[in-house]
Amino acid sequence: MSGIYIHIPFCKQACSYCDFYFKTRQQLLQPFTDALENEILSFQNSSFTRSQISTIYIGGGTPSLLNERQLEQIFSALNKVFRLEPDEVTMELNPDDVTPGYLKMIRNFGVGRASMGVQSFQGEILEFMHRAHNRNEALFALEALQTTGFPTYTADLIYGNPGQTLSMLEQDIRQLLVFDPPHISAYSLTIEPKTRLGKQVQLGRIDPPGDVTVSEHSDLLYDLLEEAGMIQYEVSNYAKPGKEAVHNSNYWNHKNYLGFGPSAHSFWWDDEGTTAKRWQNRADLTGYIENEPKKIQTENEILDLHTLAEERLMLALRTKEGISLEELEQRYDFSFTENQLGYISGQIHKGTISRTKNRLKMTRQGLKISDFLLVDLLSRG
Ligand code: SF4
């Protein structure tokens, strides 16, 4: 069982914090869709088509810029090439593109999970982010999900914004909870150096909030969402029981996936399960449109079991489930060094990691500083 990721590299405008690969020249959307169709068709009769496809994720960029004809092109190419038996088909939507008619149209293609880029309901925060939508459009889009009876969805929020007080964040969370969402992805604002925000921070024009403020934001989120019956099942993801994202969970579980479109990654185990390959399409829209699809792939990276074990450990320790030590040993032939075991014991004592006989996981406190703990743990390998 494998997944498919499709990257739609177009946006109406550049959000100030975003470092994903996208262009704003929407006149290239149709030539891009034609190239995407070719890329998908180029996998016909390849060994990848032996695997059943259990999840599809259309991300970007802004997939909701695609019209019905373009979605038809994409889904019919996928159907021609792959054995599609998906449990989950997700599409990212920006609130300013959403109407009940658009939701019904994507439903007809089998999209059953919407990922709505709300980010905030506050006008000044949305402006600071340079988002294309406003508060009313976010509310309208969430209402449309309800009135059309869309099967399931997730909404994105961003916290830790400069100037965002706890009470502003609380208003955002409570406003979102009015819709009783099955899933919420909540990200702490990251300052990426090459973005407009990154440059403003470098120039000293914007002062990002400190660690204590971000930690308070994260605690507020946790408390309010837990009160609403949502469980933090990964550092940035909360869901009602049974509504966890399958496609993303498969990434963390090292399941195979293929990525289509400029900048998309793919990951595939060899038949023996002793190494895996990772490759990426170049982030080059013009090259993607003009060249043979396979020409835009970068070199394969072959990952050995030890590298895969460390990666799996990093991904799994960011989840509520944590990692099974038996899995690490049997699937990855991995065990911790004495030095690492000493570090883990120290962290158990500090209350950031917990361990049962066969499972290691982060506590709530640990999840808040998981990136730091993981680097520390792996550097002792
Ligand atoms: S809409 Fe999404 S992908 Fe596009 S610029 Fe904004 S954050 Fe980035």
Side-chain angles (χ1 to χ4, degrees), residues 71-84:
L71 281 165
E72 168 69 40
Q73 250 181 294
I74 296 168
F75 278 101
S76 84
L78 288 174
N79 267 303
K80 254 184 224 155
V81 176
F82 294 103
R83 277 173 51 208
L84 303 186

Side-chain angles (χ1 to χ4, degrees), residues 288-353:
Y288 187 76
I289 290 171
E290 287 173 359
N291 290 321
E292 289 287 307
K294 297 263 166 159
K295 284 199 188 139
I296 64 145
Q297 281 180 13
T298 56
E299 296 282 297
N300 289 333
E301 184 191 359
I302 308 287
L303 305 161
D304 61 22
L305 267 188
H306 187 77
T307 309
L308 287 161
E310 292 193 338
E311 197 177 272
R312 170 81 180 113
L313 189 65
M314 287 187 77
L315 295 168
L317 283 180
R318 291 170 57 89
T319 68
K320 179 172 78 70
E321 292 302 313
I323 185 81
S324 141
L325 302 178
E326 198 175 285
E327 180 196 336
L328 276 180
E329 205 172 303
Q330 291 179 2
R331 187 180 181 195
Y332 297 94
D333 195 21
F334 178 91
S335 44
F336 290 110
T337 62
E338 284 300 317
N339 203 353
Q340 285 175 321
L341 289 171
Y343 180 78
I344 290 168
S345 298
Q347 291 303 323
I348 291 172
H349 190 66
K350 286 183 185 163
T352 58
I353 291 181

Side-chain angles (χ1 to χ4, degrees), residues 1 24 86 164 221 257 280 327:
M1 302 236 284
T24 49
Q164 185 179 28
L221 254 162
Y257 62 88
Q280 186 187 4
E327 180 196 336

Side-chain angles (χ1 to χ4, degrees), residues 10-11 13-15 17-20 22 60-62 94 119 131:
F10 294 93
C11 292
Q13 59 191 52
C15 300
Y17 55 87
C18 177
D19 78 338
F20 291 134
F22 67 91
T62 309
N94 275 1
Q119 320 309 354
R131 294 288 308 186

